[in-house]
């Protein structure tokens, strides 16, 4: 019965809940969306939105939207400076409060994403995943997920992917709402925003076990 209910929720009810909740969130948070957009435009210039291709359900590529948090500062060779230099004070505030993620609500409306699921990562990581890690793409990527409420950027890639697959194996209405409430708590506490050694998260280079076998 538990598996049946989980299957019904995953196949039919989860998408309906995503659409309704994200639509309500966009309406309620529209003043905040407008204020953040104006601040980004004034402090960082145009474009206000950061757009990047990300792999979604079944590794299908979609365009993800976020508020811009970095400047376009470059070195004498025209190369972009390191993230830690380009990440502005406003950008740090937006990331620490997760306000930069709000435009992803429109991705949820479109059906590219879900409220809860594994975070959509970079397209160039796709060839680096093990068979086990690839299972994170069996569901829509999420605005938040089990890995985010369990440490976000402060935990290792290996742990993050294990949590992603754990979520895929246990999708349910109850689990999603537990993660939603945990996410709200994390946002207010501002936990796990950055890794210990970088302004954001170190690039994924493939799992250690996979590299040893090559």
């Amino acid at each position: 019965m538990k598996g049946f209910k989980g299957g019904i929720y995953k196949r039919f009810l989860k998408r309906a809940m995503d659409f309704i909740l994200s639509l309500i969130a966009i309406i309620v948070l529209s003043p905040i969306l407008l204020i953040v957009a104006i601040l980004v435009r004034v402090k960082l210039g145009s474009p206000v939105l950061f757009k990047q291709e990300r792999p979604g359900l079944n590794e299908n590529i979609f365009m993800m939207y976020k508020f811009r948090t970095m400047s376009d500062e470059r070195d004498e060779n025209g190369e972009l400076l390191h993230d830690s230099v380009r990440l502005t004070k406003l950008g740090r505030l937006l990331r620490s409060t997760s306000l930069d993620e709000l435009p992803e609500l429109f991705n949820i409306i479109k059906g590219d994403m879900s409220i809860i699921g594994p975070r959509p990562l970079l397209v160039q990581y796709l060839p680096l995943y093990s068979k086990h890690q690839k299972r994170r793409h069996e569901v829509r990527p999420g605005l938040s997920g089990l890995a985010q409420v369990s440490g976000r950027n402060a935990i290792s890639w290996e742990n993050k992917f294990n949590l992603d697959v754990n979520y895929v194996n246990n999708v349910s209405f109850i689990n999603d709402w537990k993660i939603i409430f945990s996410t709200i708590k994390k946002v207010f506490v501002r936990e796990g925003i950055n890794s210990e050694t970088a302004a954001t998260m170190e690039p994924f280079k493939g799992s250690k076990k996979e590299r040893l076998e090559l």
Side-chain angles (χ1 to χ4, degrees):
M1 181 63 71
K2 181 178 178 181
F4 175 75
K5 290 182 178 178
I8 293 295
Y9 171 71
K10 182 178 178 179
R11 292 178 61 188
F12 304 107
L13 302 181
K14 182 174 171 66
R15 173 61 188 147
M17 185 182 79
D18 285 339
F19 185 88
I20 293 170
L21 291 182
S22 57
L23 182 61
I24 292 173
I26 289 172
I27 294 171
V28 172
L29 299 175
S30 57
I32 295 177
L33 284 162
L34 179 60
I35 291 171
V36 173
I38 293 172
L39 286 174
V40 172
R41 180 66 178 84
V42 171
K43 296 290 186 179
L44 294 175
S46 183
V48 169
L49 293 180
F50 169 77
K51 297 185 290 184
Q52 190 175 59
E53 289 186 334
R54 298 289 176 96
L57 178 64
N58 298 322
E59 299 185 6
N60 292 320
I61 307 302
F62 70 97
M63 188 67 72
M64 188 186 75
Y65 309 111
K66 298 175 69 171
F67 279 122
R68 184 178 168 197
T69 58
M70 293 186 181
S71 69
D72 288 327
E73 292 182 77
R74 299 174 182 269
D75 60 22
E76 60 275 10
N77 298 317
E79 298 291 331
L80 287 171
L81 296 177
H82 191 271
D83 287 358
S84 60
V85 177
R86 296 190 298 117
L87 185 59
T88 63
K89 185 177 181 180
L90 173 62
R92 291 182 186 278
L93 175 63
L94 295 180
R95 290 191 181 194
S96 67
T97 55
S98 294
L99 290 174
D100 64 316
E101 310 280 0
L102 289 183
E104 291 169 37
L105 290 169
F106 294 97
N107 284 120
I108 298 174
I109 290 288
K110 290 172 60 182
D112 298 325
M113 294 177 61
S114 179
I115 291 175
I116 301 301
R119 285 293 296 163
L121 300 176
L122 300 177
V123 174
Q124 56 259 41
Y125 292 169
L126 287 175
L128 303 177
Y129 295 141
S130 66
K131 184 176 180 180
H132 172 75
Q133 293 165 349
K134 279 180 175 289
R135 294 199 58 221
R136 69 192 311 277
H137 295 292
E138 293 178 10
V139 297
R140 286 185 177 87
L143 182 65
S144 183
L146 183 59
Q148 279 59 53
V149 299
S150 302
R152 198 173 177 179
N153 288 342
I155 61 177
S156 70
W157 282 112
E158 300 298 323
N159 289 337
K160 184 178 295 187
F161 291 139
N162 286 336
L163 288 166
D164 288 342
V165 175
N166 179 276
Y167 172 79
V168 171
N169 290 335
N170 297 282
V171 175
S172 72
F173 178 83
I174 297 297
N175 285 341
D176 273 7
W177 275 100
K178 285 181 179 179
I179 296 172
I180 288 173
F181 288 128
S182 294
T183 299
I184 294 172
K185 178 183 176 182
K186 292 284 184 180
V187 167
F188 282 107
V189 177
R190 302 189 189 183
E191 291 181 346
I193 303 302
N194 298 323
S195 66
E196 294 180 355
T197 59
T200 52
M201 182 71 183
E202 294 83 3
F204 177 58
K205 300 177 181 178
S207 63
K208 294 178 180 178
K209 182 178 180 180
E210 292 292 316
R211 291 200 301 271
L212 289 173
E213 292 175 350
L214 293 177

